[in-house]
Amino acid sequence: MKTVCLIIAAILATVALSFALPIACALYFGETAMIKPFAIPMACMLFAAAAVFVSLRGKRQPLTLRESFVVVALSWSLASLFGAIPLYLSGVIGDFSSAVFESVSGFTTTGATIMQNIDSAPRSINLWRCLEHWLGGMGIVTLTVALLPLLGVGGFQLIKAETTGPEKGKVTPKIGETAKLLWAIYVGLTVLQTLLLKWAGMTFFDAVCHAFATLGTGGFSTKSESVGGFHSAAIDIICTIFMVLAGVNFSLYFYVFTGKIRELKTNSELKAYLWIFAICTALITLFLRPVYGSLLTALRYGAFQTASIITTTGFATADYMQWNPAAQFVIFILFFFGGSSGSTGGGIKIIRWVVLGKQINNEIKKTLHPHGVYSLRLNSQPSGKGIIISVASFLFLYTILVGAVTLISCAFNLDLFTALTASLSMVGNIGPAFGALGPSQTWAAVPSALKIVYCFAMLAGRLELYTMLLYFFPSFWKR
């Protein structure tokens, strides 16, 4: 328990230190009223963390697997509550439940917002919202492990509990080095996109915010019309490219930088991800051709929205609720995919569909040739049956959670399709839904009690279900 408290204190201190950026932004733009909402909770958290470190200093015990899940679940929950304080104290969001919803949506990179006048919001608040995406995208625990080697105790278990996808490993021998490497790649891509967006016509402030939101696959914007508010084809193209890049397993970038190109060529998930993106983009472009009158314009909007939904970013350049039913159906199907394992994207993850697809193919072969022996191969290597069981169990649990959240949403008088797509959006960390919660709408009208349910769904989805749902299983509490 001593180690658990120390690590949670360190993670929350890391989040508190990140308040320095919006404080600097407030000072630069003369938003003096916005300094206290950030400075007061920052000072309180740092003082509390220092007190924990002083009172619990000494030899740390290794974390058990159970404690690792507790640390990650508590860290994300407390970080989201802590991140809501500036939103509430600033007066930008009037009630605390809405502020918590906005903060959870930020950290989990969901991007569903309750804010209706984003353009007129203080720049420091908009920066914090997008910064939450960036911190949550790669992972606040991963960042803390990278910054503080003292958390090496159980570091790999912590990152495994936070990282997305069924395949989790180290790209370097030491987990601290892996965390630093992943964050270095993440920062590099963020800087590159910021420069490109600035070149394309955004202000430096807008470029930074949208780079944070894109690489974190979050979807918060500095404009009420999202990226579409800039009315720029160049900006749309840049964001589309970087959304697709953010949906790729970040470990593959390490292999690119170290010359191991073969890892890309044999990666089953990457090939499936790019094929799904290409096919869905082509279909939506085909269906939108009569709407926009130009093939290139239809491709621009189709590729952007495909990238936005498949990576669960949630940006918008058009209201797909106004598109024809065929294009809407493709968007709806994309709600079930998500980014790659080890990416900042949410959702079910492409790798799980790859595993199921290969297993279905094996079952068909067995039907035709009962005496044949067929193994499941990923990345040109044989995989055990364990991954099939893992994927099937995850999808079953995912379906149960979506069904439960849909039922609760219907109990709050949301129509069935809005309730279903809202639940898929919350658990998959997508952002927009359909119907009354489509891309041109905010989530402000959602009742406070339902917002809390959605907060849990967003956290469960970001942490791969088990980290948040283990506590409901009696076996978790047995020694």
Side-chain angles (χ1 to χ4, degrees):
M1 186 56 70
K2 181 178 180 180
T3 305
V4 170
C5 293
L6 283 168
I7 294 177
I8 291 176
I11 291 170
L12 292 180
T14 303
V15 175
L17 288 171
S18 68
F19 282 4
L21 193 56
I23 289 174
C25 177
L27 288 169
Y28 181 80
F29 288 108
E31 298 173 350
T32 54
M34 293 297 109
I35 296 174
K36 281 186 178 180
F38 287 101
I40 292 174
M42 177 183 179
C44 292
M45 189 64 249
L46 291 177
F47 177 80
V52 170
F53 278 113
V54 170
S55 60
L56 298 180
R57 65 183 182 276
K59 186 176 180 180
R60 299 179 301 279
Q61 297 295 321
L63 285 175
T64 65
L65 187 57
R66 182 185 281 105
E67 288 174 335
S68 297
F69 284 110
V70 170
V71 165
V72 172
L74 277 178
S75 297
W76 276 78
S77 301
L78 293 174
S80 297
L81 287 171
F82 185 52
I85 295 174
L87 300 175
Y88 178 68
L89 292 181
S90 65
V92 174
I93 298 179
D95 65 282
F96 194 65
S97 64
S98 295
V100 171
F101 178 89
E102 192 82 7
S103 181
V104 172
S105 181
F107 275 115
T108 60
T109 73
T110 304
T113 183
I114 58 91
M115 292 178 60
Q116 297 175 315
N117 298 308
I118 297 173
D119 303 72
S120 59
R123 287 184 174 91
S124 52
I125 292 295
N126 273 331
L127 179 61
W128 172 239
R129 294 167 67 241
C130 295
L131 181 57
E132 284 181 313
H133 282 336
W134 195 70
L135 294 171
M138 186 57 68
I140 52 177
V141 174
T142 306
L143 175 61
T144 306
V145 170
L147 294 177
L148 301 175
L150 62 90
L151 295 182
V153 178
F156 184 50
Q157 291 179 185
L158 289 172
I159 291 181
K160 280 182 68 178
E162 180 184 60
T163 306
T164 61
E167 294 183 310
K168 305 171 186 181
K170 307 175 186 178
V171 294
T172 61
K174 295 183 179 179
I175 192 61
E177 291 179 3
T178 297
K180 289 176 183 177
L181 177 64
L182 293 175
W183 269 93
I185 295 169
Y186 194 47
V187 171
L189 288 172
T190 304
V191 171
L192 178 58
Q193 189 189 0
T194 299
L195 295 174
L196 289 172
L197 289 175
K198 180 70 173 65
W199 167 82
M202 279 190 181
T203 64
F204 181 70
F205 172 78
D206 285 333
V208 169
C209 288
H210 284 84
F212 282 167
T214 304
L215 268 304
T217 61
F220 281 157
S221 176
T222 57
K223 290 188 175 292
S224 298
E225 295 178 79
S226 190
V227 177
F230 293 96
H231 307 289
S232 167
I235 289 173
D236 291 356
I237 292 169
I238 291 167
C239 287
T240 299
I241 292 170
F242 278 87
M243 282 191 287
V244 173
L245 291 176
V248 173
N249 188 327
F250 272 71
S251 298
L252 296 182
Y253 295 123
F254 168 77
Y255 297 129
V256 171
F257 295 141
T258 54
K260 299 178 181 178
I261 304 300
R262 184 178 179 278
E263 297 288 342
L264 270 71
K265 294 179 180 179
T266 60
N267 190 273
S268 304
E269 183 179 38
L270 178 62
K271 288 186 283 188
Y273 170 65
L274 294 178
W275 270 112
I276 292 169
F277 171 73
I279 292 170
C280 290
T281 296
L283 286 172
I284 293 177
T285 300
L286 177 66
F287 297 140
L288 293 183
R289 171 68 173 79
V291 177
Y292 291 106
S294 163
L295 185 63
L296 288 178
T297 303
L299 176 61
R300 168 187 164 187
Y301 289 105
F304 184 96
Q305 212 58 59
T306 299
S308 179
I309 300 300
I310 194 173
T311 62
T312 71
T313 304
F315 278 148
T317 51
D319 184 357
Y320 54 70
M321 292 301 298
Q322 304 304 316
W323 290 354
N324 56 55
Q328 288 183 13
F329 179 74
V330 178
I331 293 293
F332 175 68
I333 291 299
L334 288 170
F335 272 52
F336 295 89
F337 284 103
S340 302
S341 174
S343 72
T344 59
I348 292 174
K349 302 296 179 302
I350 300 296
I351 187 63
R352 292 190 171 96
W353 295 117
V354 171
V355 169
L356 284 183
K358 287 180 176 290
Q359 182 59 23
I360 289 171
N361 186 48
N362 284 344
E363 292 298 328
I364 291 173
K365 290 178 180 178
K366 286 181 182 179
T367 302
L368 297 174
H369 308 285
H371 302 294
V373 178
Y374 306 99
S375 63
L376 191 148
R377 298 179 68 85
L378 291 174
N379 307 332
S380 299
Q381 300 292 329
S383 296
K385 291 185 177 180
I387 192 170
I388 301 171
I389 297 171
S390 173
V391 167
S393 300
F394 178 89
L395 286 173
F396 178 75
L397 190 57
Y398 195 94
T399 303
I400 293 296
L401 181 58
V402 168
V405 177
T406 300
L407 178 61
I408 295 170
S409 300
C410 289
F412 280 91
N413 295 320
L414 267 66
D415 67 87
L416 179 58
F417 193 55
T418 298
L420 172 61
T421 56
S423 302
L424 287 168
S425 181
M426 293 292 96
V427 179
N429 305 135
I430 297 167
F434 279 76
L437 297 172
S440 64
Q441 307 296 321
T442 73
W443 298 62
V446 173
S448 295
L450 186 55
K451 284 175 185 169
I452 300 304
V453 173
Y454 284 164
C455 284
F456 178 82
M458 287 187 280
L459 286 167
R462 173 58 183 82
L463 299 177
E464 295 280 279
L465 305 188
Y466 291 104
T467 303
M468 292 297 294
L469 297 178
L470 280 172
Y471 311 99
F472 296 96
F473 292 89
S475 57
F476 177 79
W477 301 102
K478 293 179 182 179
R479 292 188 177 276

